Amino acid sequence: MRRLLLPLPLPCLLLPPLLLLLLPAEVRCTIACTEDCSSKNVTVETGTSSNDELSVNSTSGNKTYGGGISSREVSLSDSAIGNQNNVTHPRPVLDLKAEYVGVTSVNLTWAVNDSASNSSYTYRIEVVNGTSLRNLMSNVTKVEITELIPGTLYNFTVFAVTADGETEGEGVSIRLYTKPSPIHDLKVEYVGVTSVNLTWAVNDSASNSYTYRIEVVNDTSIRNLTSDVTKVEITELIPGAMDNFTVFAVAADGETEGEGVSIRLYTKPSPIHDLKVEYVGVTSVNLTWAVNDSASNSYTYRIEVVNDTSIRNLTSDVTKVEITELIPGAMYSFTVFAVAADGETEGEGVSIRLYTKPSPIHDLKVEYVGVTSVNLTWAVNDSASNSYTYRIEVVSSTSIRNLTSDVTKVEITELIPGAMYSFTVFAVAADGETEGEGVSIRLYTKPRPVLNLKAEYVGMTSVNLTWVVNNTASNSYTYRIEVVSSTSIRNLTSDVAKVEITELIPGAMHNFTVFAVAADGETEGEGVSIRLYTKPSPIHDLKVEYVGVTSVNLTWVVNNTASNSYTYRIEVVSSTSIRNLTSDVTKVEITELIPGAMYSFTVFAVAADGETEGEGVSIRLYTIPASVNLFQCEPVAKQSSLMLKWECPSGNNSGFKIKIFNNTWEKEERAPSCMREGSEKTFRTASLDYFSTYNVTIATLSNSSESPPVQKMCNTSITDPPAPSKAPSVKAVSHSSLSVEFSDFESVNGPLKAYAVMITTEEQSCESLKSELNNTYKDFKKKMTVAYVTYVIDTEQTKSPSFHSQNGTNIVNVGKGNTMYGYENGPLIPLHSYRASVAGFTNITFTMANIIVGEDSYVSFSPCSKAVLLPQDPGVIAGAVIGCLLAILAVVAIGGFIFWRRRRKDKRNTEVSFSPIKSKMIKVENFESYFKKQQADSNCGFAEEYEAGAPPCLPLRFCFLQSFRDVLAPFLPVTSAKLTLSSSLPWGQNECAVDVSVCKTVSGF
C-alpha cells in the first residue's frame, strides 16, 4: 500500500501513471515552481523502509532505481507532461520460462510479440527474495542470473523497455526455488538383514525448510523414501544384497532437488534354509541347502563341522558341500553360514544333525547338448536298483536346482546358453530319503550368436573387429574367427570380444565370421559375418631427388594394382609448422622451406574414395643452409691468427666450417652457430705462420648439410723476428772504435726493415735491451745508461759493399763519429771493455726526434758478444815514456843532491835516524781485488797509500813502473800481471818521498 507524506501538487499529479506505479511503498513528492511555473522540479523519494530511490526532475530528468543497478535520465517538459497519454508502452513479455535452475544460478528465456522488440527493446529483470532485491539488464530475450542463494525461493520479474531506455511495459513474473547444495557426511549408523540407518549433514542457510528424498537402488528395484530430518531408517531391504543409497536435499517447494550423494553397502544375508544331506557315506557327507535371497548368486558359505572331539570350518562357493574325513557312524552337527559378496558379512547359521552311512551310479553320459537343454543317461548295478528313484542336481555359477527321474535318463531344460553346468545324479532308496553318493558330469551349453560385429580398424594387411555378447556366461567365452578371401580360408582364436586379423591381402574383399566358444574350448554358437575391403599398401622407395636451400623434390613407387586411381597426401612437418600438399602422381616439388631446417616429409597413398589412406612413409632431411654473403679477414697484430667476420645468413644453421689452406698445408676449424639473421659473426682462427698467405673458405653447416663455400685470400700479421742464436763478432779497430760483424736475421716472421747496433759495458743479458732502444751516445757519456744504440742501418743499406764482408755478413764500425737517424756513433773510451748486440726489426717506429719507440716496434735481439778491451791511445804512451825519462833524470839529480847533502851531514853527525817503513799486509788471494781498487783513477791509489809512510823517491819509481806496465799491458798480458805484482812490492829505506801530483802528472801523459 502506498501513502504520500505530503499532498501532491498539481504538477506531481501530471506524472505518467507508469512512474507512479514504479514508486516504492513510501513516496514523498515535492515541486518547486518558478513564477510562471514553466520549469518544475519534481522529486520522488522512497521511504525509510526501502532502499529504492526514484528521482524525477522535469528539467534534468533524473530517474534512479534502487540498489544502484541502473539509472536513466528522463526529461519531462510541460508539453511532454501534457501529452503523456501519447506514450506507447511495450506489451508484457510472453512465455517466461526457466531453462535451467542450478544451485546458485538460473537461466530465463521469454518472448515478445511487439514489432519493435527485435531491434529496440532491452529488458530489466528484477530479482527478489526474502532478504534482497536487485535489477539486471539484458539486450536479448534471455538472461543468466548468478550469485543466488542455494535452495531459496526467488521472484523474477521481466520488464520490456523501449529504445528510450525509460518506457517500460508491465512486468511478468516467475517464482521458483534454486537447487539445494548436496548433502555431506553421509554415514551408516546401523546395518541389518532388511534395514539400514543413515545420517547426514547440510550447511545451506535455507536448510531448515528442506526435506530429503532417499533413493534406494539394488539390482532388481528402485524406490524412494522421504525424511524431514537429516537421518532415516530404511527397511524392507533384500538380505545379503548390495544396495546403493542416494540422498537428495529437496527445497521447500517439494520439487527442486539438489545433487544426490550416494553410499553403497551390503545387508546381512538371510540364514540359509532347506539344509539337507545330499549324500551320506562311510567317511563323507554331501550337504546341500537353499538360499532364497535374490543376491545369493554372489554368496559364499562357511560350514562348521562339530563332533564330540573337534571343531573345524569349511568354505563353499555353491550351495552344496562334500564333507570328508568323518568318523564312520558318528553323529555330526553341520552348521552352514551364508557369507555376502564382501567376504565378511555373515548371516545366521543353520544346522543339521545326522549320522554317516553307505552306492553311486556309474557311466553317466551326455547324449545331447543344446543352447538351453541337455540329455543325460546313466547306469546302476545295485540289485535293489529296480526300486530306486533318481535326483538330478543342476548347478551353475548362479543357481542350483533339482530334478527327479524314475529311470536312468533325463532331459534338463531351461539352461543358460554358453554356461557351465554341473549335473549330479543321486540314487535314492525306496524310503525316498536315504541317498547314495552322487555322480556328476560338467559341461557347457552352446553359446548364443555374437551381436554388433564391427570393424574398428581397417589396415593394409590387418583388420580389428569388435562385437558384443549379452550372455551372462560371456566372461568365460573364447571366439573363433573364420577369415575367408577369394583364395583362402583360415581360422583365428580370441579370448576377448575383439580381434586383430593380420596377413590379409591389401585392397582385397574379406568375409569375417565370428563364433562364440564356451569355456571348454569346444562348444560353439552360431556364427555372425561381416564383409569389407582392406586398405592400400604404403608407398615405397621414397627418395629425395633434389635438396635445395628452400625446396625439395621427392619421388616414390606404388606397386598396388589399384594404384592408377590413387592420389597422394604429403605432410610437411618442421619444428614450427605442419602443412599438407596433394599430388596426383608419384612425385612432388615442395617449396617455401626454411634454409638449413630439418623437415619430416610423410607420403600417404589415398584410395579412390579420397578418404581411405594407406600408412604414411616418412623421410627426414635438412634443407641446404644458406651461404654467407661476404666475409672479411683481418690479420691480428703480432699474432699469427686471422680474425674473420661475416653476417649471419638466413634460416637455421648449426655452425660454420672454416677451411684454411695453402699450397703445402691445410686445416679445418668449426665456428659455433649464430641465431639472428644479419647479425655480425666473428671468429679467430688458431695460430698460423706469421707473414703468410692463406686461402680461407667458409661453409654454413646445418647438421649433416653444408652450403657451398665462400673463399677469400688472407694474409697473417708480422711479428718480432726470430732471435739469432749466434752473437755478433766484435773486434777492436783502434783505441776508440771497434767493428761489429753479424749475419742477417731470418725473415720468417716478416721482412727485416732495419738493424740497430747496441753497445753495453755491463755483464748483463742482451734479451732485456728493448727498454734501452731510446738511449743514445749522449746518454752514455752522461753516465745515464750503460747500454745505448750507436748505429741504425736500413736493410737496403746492408746490401752495399761497405757493409758486407767477404763471407756475406754485415759489418758496422762503431765509434766513427757519424750520425744515423737520431743516434750518434761516437768514439769509445780506450782501455774500456765493450760488448755488442744487434737488434733486428720487422717493424721500426721512430719519434719525431728519430728515436726508436721500442713498445711500438717489432724487434728481437742477438746474444751479447764477448767483451772486448780497447787499447790505450798511442799518444798517451809516448808522453808517458818521455815523462818517465825526464823523471829518471830528475830523480838522479835529486838523488845526487841528497847524497851530497847527506855526505856533508855525515861529517857533522855520527848518527843518522831512519823512520820505520809502514808495510800493509795483503793476503795473496785478495791481492788482485786490492790491486784493482788501488789502480782506479790512473793508479794513484798506490801513490796515496805509499806517500803516507814511504820514502819520497818511491812513488816516482812506482809511477815509472806503472806507466811502463800500462804501455806493455795490451801486448804482454803475462808481463802485465807480473809488473802489477812487482810494482806493489815494498821499497828500500833509502827511497825518498815525492808529491802525489807527480804520479798523476806522469800517468796523465
Side-chain angles (χ1 to χ4, degrees):
M1 178 178 178
R2 300 182 181 86
R3 58 189 179 85
L4 300 179
L5 299 180
L6 294 175
L8 290 174
L10 179 59
C12 202
L13 294 176
L14 296 178
L15 288 173
L18 177 61
L19 296 180
L20 294 178
L21 289 173
L22 295 175
L23 292 176
E26 283 188 16
V27 179
R28 181 183 306 151
C29 184
T30 61
I31 297 178
C33 294
T34 58
E35 266 184 273
D36 57 0
C37 285
S38 61
S39 174
K40 303 174 181 63
N41 294 319
V42 181
T43 302
V44 181
E45 299 177 359
T46 64
T48 57
S49 62
S50 173
N51 294 327
D52 297 353
E53 290 186 2
L54 174 60
S55 297
V56 180
N57 187 297
S58 61
T59 302
S60 61
N62 293 324
K63 180 178 180 181
T64 303
Y65 294 97
I69 302 301
S70 62
S71 64
R72 302 192 280 280
E73 292 190 358
V74 181
S75 297
L76 300 176
S77 65
D78 291 342
S79 61
I81 296 172
N83 297 322
Q84 59 181 313
N85 293 329
N86 294 330
V87 177
T88 301
H89 296 277
R91 291 180 182 178
V93 302
L94 304 175
D95 294 328
L96 179 59
K97 296 178 183 178
E99 282 202 334
Y100 166 77
V101 177
V103 177
T104 60
S105 66
V106 168
N107 290 357
L108 301 179
T109 63
W110 58 89
V112 182
N113 285 338
D114 286 6
S115 59
S117 62
N118 291 335
S119 60
S120 61
Y121 281 7
T122 57
Y123 306 89
R124 178 171 65 87
I125 302 93
E126 184 181 78
V127 183
V128 179
N129 70 359
T131 59
S132 67
L133 181 147
R134 58 180 173 139
N135 285 278
L136 305 173
M137 298 298 295
S138 174
N139 293 326
V140 292
T141 59
K142 62 180 179 180
V143 70
E144 180 184 7
I145 306 167
T146 59
E147 301 180 359
L148 303 179
I149 301 170
T152 303
L153 173 64
Y154 279 88
N155 186 62
F156 304 96
T157 305
V158 179
F159 300 87
V161 184
T162 59
D164 61 1
E166 299 170 358
T167 307
E168 293 184 348
E170 183 179 351
V172 176
S173 298
I174 187 172
R175 294 166 60 87
L176 52 87
Y177 281 83
T178 52
K179 286 186 178 180
S181 300
I183 66 150
H184 60 91
D185 293 333
L186 179 60
K187 297 178 181 178
V188 180
E189 287 203 337
Y190 167 76
V191 178
V193 176
T194 60
S195 66
V196 168
N197 290 356
L198 302 177
T199 63
W200 58 88
V202 183
N203 288 337
D204 286 0
S205 60
S207 61
N208 291 336
S209 63
Y210 287 179
T211 58
Y212 304 90
R213 179 172 67 88
I214 301 92
E215 184 183 73
V216 182
V217 179
N218 59 24
D219 291 337
T220 60
S221 67
I222 299 175
R223 60 181 173 132
N224 287 279
L225 305 176
T226 303
S227 176
D228 295 328
V229 292
T230 58
K231 63 182 179 179
V232 70
E233 178 183 3
I234 306 167
T235 60
E236 300 178 0
L237 301 176
I238 299 171
M242 197 274 287
D243 293 275
N244 186 69
F245 304 96
T246 305
V247 180
F248 301 84
V250 183
D253 62 352
E255 295 177 359
T256 307
E257 290 185 350
E259 184 179 348
V261 177
S262 298
I263 189 169
R264 296 162 68 94
L265 53 88
Y266 284 85
T267 52
K268 287 185 178 180
S270 299
I272 68 155
H273 61 90
D274 295 332
L275 179 59
K276 297 177 182 179
V277 180
E278 290 255 355
Y279 169 76
V280 177
V282 177
T283 59
S284 65
V285 169
N286 289 353
L287 300 179
T288 63
W289 56 90
V291 182
N292 289 336
D293 291 357
S294 59
S296 62
N297 291 338
S298 62
Y299 286 1
T300 57
Y301 305 91
R302 180 170 65 88
I303 301 94
E304 186 181 74
V305 182
V306 179
N307 69 359
D308 292 338
T309 59
S310 66
I311 300 175
R312 59 177 173 142
N313 285 280
L314 304 175
T315 302
S316 175
D317 295 327
V318 293
T319 57
K320 66 177 180 179
V321 68
E322 179 184 7
I323 306 168
T324 60
E325 298 178 0
L326 301 178
I327 300 171
M331 194 274 289
Y332 283 84
S333 175
F334 304 97
T335 305
V336 180
F337 300 86
V339 183
D342 61 357
E344 298 176 358
T345 308
E346 288 185 354
E348 184 178 350
V350 176
S351 298
I352 189 171
R353 297 164 65 91
L354 55 85
Y355 285 85
T356 55
K357 358 173 161 129
S359 185
I361 68 160
H362 61 92
D363 293 329
L364 179 59
K365 296 178 182 180
V366 179
E367 285 200 333
Y368 167 78
V369 177
V371 176
T372 60
S373 65
V374 168
N375 291 353
L376 301 177
T377 63
W378 59 89
V380 181
N381 289 335
D382 287 1
S383 58
S385 62
N386 291 335
S387 63
Y388 286 176
T389 59
Y390 303 91
R391 180 173 64 87
I392 301 93
E393 183 181 72
V394 182
V395 179
S396 72
S397 61
T398 59
S399 67
I400 298 175
R401 58 180 173 139
N402 286 278
L403 304 175
T404 302
S405 177
D406 296 329
V407 292
T408 58
K409 65 180 178 180
V410 69
E411 179 183 3
I412 305 168
T413 59
E414 300 179 359
L415 301 179
I416 299 171
M420 194 277 286
Y421 281 89
S422 175
F423 304 101
T424 305
V425 180
F426 300 87
V428 182
D431 62 357
E433 294 178 359
T434 305
E435 292 182 350
E437 185 179 350
V439 175
S440 297
I441 189 170
R442 295 165 66 93
L443 56 87
Y444 284 83
T445 53
K446 287 186 177 181
R448 292 189 187 276
V450 302
L451 305 173
N452 296 333
L453 179 58
K454 296 178 182 179
E456 282 205 333
Y457 166 77
V458 177
M460 174 191 62
T461 59
S462 65
V463 168
N464 291 356
L465 301 179
T466 63
W467 56 88
V468 176
V469 182
N470 288 335
N471 290 3
T472 57
S474 61
N475 291 336
S476 62
Y477 285 180
T478 57
Y479 305 92
R480 179 172 67 89
I481 300 93
E482 183 180 71
V483 182
V484 180
S485 69
S486 60
T487 58
S488 65
I489 299 175
R490 59 183 172 129
N491 287 279
L492 304 174
T493 302
S494 176
D495 294 327
V496 292
K498 62 181 179 179
V499 68
E500 180 183 4
I501 305 168
T502 59
E503 300 179 2
L504 302 178
I505 301 170
M509 193 272 288
H510 291 78
N511 186 67
F512 305 98
T513 304
V514 180
F515 301 86
V517 183
D520 60 356
E522 297 176 359
T523 308
E524 289 185 353
E526 184 181 350
V528 176
S529 298
I530 188 173
R531 296 162 64 94
L532 52 85
Y533 284 84
T534 50
K535 287 184 178 180
S537 300
I539 65 138
H540 61 92
D541 290 338
L542 178 60
K543 296 179 181 178
V544 180
E545 284 206 332
Y546 166 76
V547 178
V549 176
T550 60
S551 66
V552 168
N553 290 356
L554 302 178
T555 64
W556 57 89
V557 176
V558 181
N559 288 335
N560 286 4
T561 56
S563 61
N564 291 335
S565 62
Y566 287 177
T567 58
Y568 305 93
R569 179 171 67 87
I570 301 93
E571 183 180 70
V572 182
V573 180
S574 70
S575 61
T576 59
S577 67
I578 299 176
R579 59 179 172 135
N580 286 279
L581 305 175
T582 302
S583 175
D584 295 327
V585 293
T586 58
K587 64 181 178 180
V588 69
E589 178 183 5
I590 305 166
T591 59
E592 299 179 1
L593 304 179
I594 300 171
M598 196 278 284
Y599 282 90
S600 175
F601 304 100
T602 305
V603 180
F604 301 85
V606 184
D609 61 358
E611 296 177 355
T612 306
E613 289 185 350
E615 184 180 351
V617 176
S618 297
I619 189 169
R620 295 164 65 93
L621 55 86
Y622 283 85
T623 51
I624 301 298
S627 300
V628 299
N629 291 331
L630 292 172
F631 73 92
Q632 299 175 349
C633 60
E634 300 172 355
V636 182
K638 294 196 77 175
Q639 300 293 325
S640 61
S641 57
L642 293 170
M643 181 63 72
L644 307 180
K645 298 179 181 179
W646 65 90
E647 287 187 358
C648 186
S650 61
N652 298 341
N653 65 82
S654 59
F656 300 88
K657 183 174 76 173
I658 299 170
K659 185 177 178 182
I660 306 168
F661 63 95
N662 56 22
N663 294 333
T664 59
W665 180 88
E666 181 178 312
K667 182 178 182 180
E668 275 192 9
E669 295 191 55
R670 297 297 174 100
S673 63
C674 61
M675 303 302 294
R676 187 164 56 87
E677 180 181 351
S679 61
E680 185 179 69
K681 176 71 178 176
T682 61
F683 179 77
R684 183 169 175 173
T685 68
S687 296
L688 306 171
D689 291 337
Y690 287 100
F691 188 56
S692 299
T693 299
Y694 292 93
N695 287 312
V696 179
T697 64
I698 300 179
T700 309
L701 301 178
S702 179
N703 292 283
S704 59
S705 300
E706 181 178 325
S707 73
V710 179
Q711 183 170 329
K712 194 168 188 178
M713 187 174 290
C714 306
N715 296 315
T716 54
S717 173
I718 63 174
T719 188
D720 300 337
S725 60
K726 184 178 179 182
S729 175
V730 180
K731 296 179 182 179
V733 176
S734 67
H735 65 280
S736 62
S737 65
L738 50 82
S739 67
V740 178
E741 184 176 351
F742 62 93
S743 299
D744 285 334
F745 284 31
E746 293 184 13
S747 59
V748 293
N749 293 348
L752 271 294
K753 299 295 184 181
Y755 296 102
V757 178
M758 300 191 70
I759 299 298
T760 179
T761 59
E762 289 291 322
E763 292 289 338
Q764 64 181 12
S765 172
C766 291
E767 296 176 357
S768 58
L769 291 176
K770 191 170 186 178
S771 60
E772 310 292 340
L773 288 172
N774 59 345
N775 294 330
T776 64
Y777 179 76
K778 291 181 181 179
D779 298 328
F780 178 73
K781 291 292 288 182
K782 295 177 182 179
K783 297 186 179 181
M784 295 170 60
T785 180
V786 295
Y788 68 97
V789 176
T790 185
Y791 204 88
V792 178
I793 178 173
D794 293 336
T795 53
E796 294 297 327
Q797 291 179 276
T798 61
K799 298 177 183 178
S800 65
S802 60
F803 287 98
H804 261 62
S805 66
Q806 292 181 354
N807 57 5
T809 57
N810 303 307
I811 299 176
V812 174
N813 291 322
V814 178
K816 292 175 61 177
N818 56 332
T819 299
M820 290 297 293
Y821 294 95
Y823 297 95
E824 179 184 356
N825 186 17
L828 305 178
I829 301 173
L831 301 179
H832 277 60
S833 293
Y834 294 96
R835 301 167 74 216
S837 174
V838 177
F841 296 86
T842 54
N843 176 48
I844 186 166
T845 304
F846 293 95
T847 64
M848 296 297 293
N850 281 335
I851 300 300
I852 298 171
V853 181
E855 293 78 6
D856 297 339
S857 301
Y858 301 171
V859 60
S860 59
F861 299 88
S862 70
C864 282
S865 68
K866 294 181 180 180
V868 174
L869 179 66
L870 294 182
Q872 181 58 279
D873 188 348
V876 173
I877 295 174
V881 171
I882 296 172
C884 287
L885 291 176
L886 292 175
I888 291 171
L889 292 175
V891 168
V892 170
I894 293 170
F897 177 73
I898 294 172
F899 179 75
W900 177 74
R901 290 288 302 269
R902 285 185 177 179
R903 293 284 293 179
R904 290 185 64 187
K905 285 184 178 181
D906 288 342
K907 295 178 179 180
R908 300 176 183 175
N909 300 313
T910 57
E911 295 180 19
V912 179
S913 61
F914 294 94
S915 299
I917 298 174
K918 298 180 181 179
S919 298
K920 186 172 183 180
M921 302 299 292
I922 303 298
K923 292 182 179 181
V924 175
E925 59 268 28
N926 297 333
F927 181 78
E928 183 177 0
S929 60
Y930 171 77
F931 177 79
K932 287 182 178 180
K933 177 181 177 183
Q934 297 300 96
Q935 186 187 29
D937 198 10
S938 301
N939 297 305
C940 287
F942 290 109
E944 292 172 354
E945 179 180 346
Y946 295 157
E947 184 180 26
C953 61
L954 181 62
L956 188 60
R957 176 191 172 203
F958 166 77
C959 289
F960 174 75
L961 293 175
Q962 182 65 31
S963 298
F964 186 68
R965 182 193 67 81
D966 291 341
V967 173
L968 298 179
F971 308 101
L972 301 172
V974 177
T975 306
S976 175
K978 292 180 178 180
L979 289 173
T980 300
L981 180 61
S982 62
S983 62
S984 62
L985 295 176
W987 49 83
Q989 291 183 354
N990 61 341
E991 292 177 343
C992 58
V994 69
D995 195 329
V996 176
S997 61
V998 176
C999 181
K1000 290 183 177 180
T1001 302
V1002 173
S1003 299
F1005 279 111

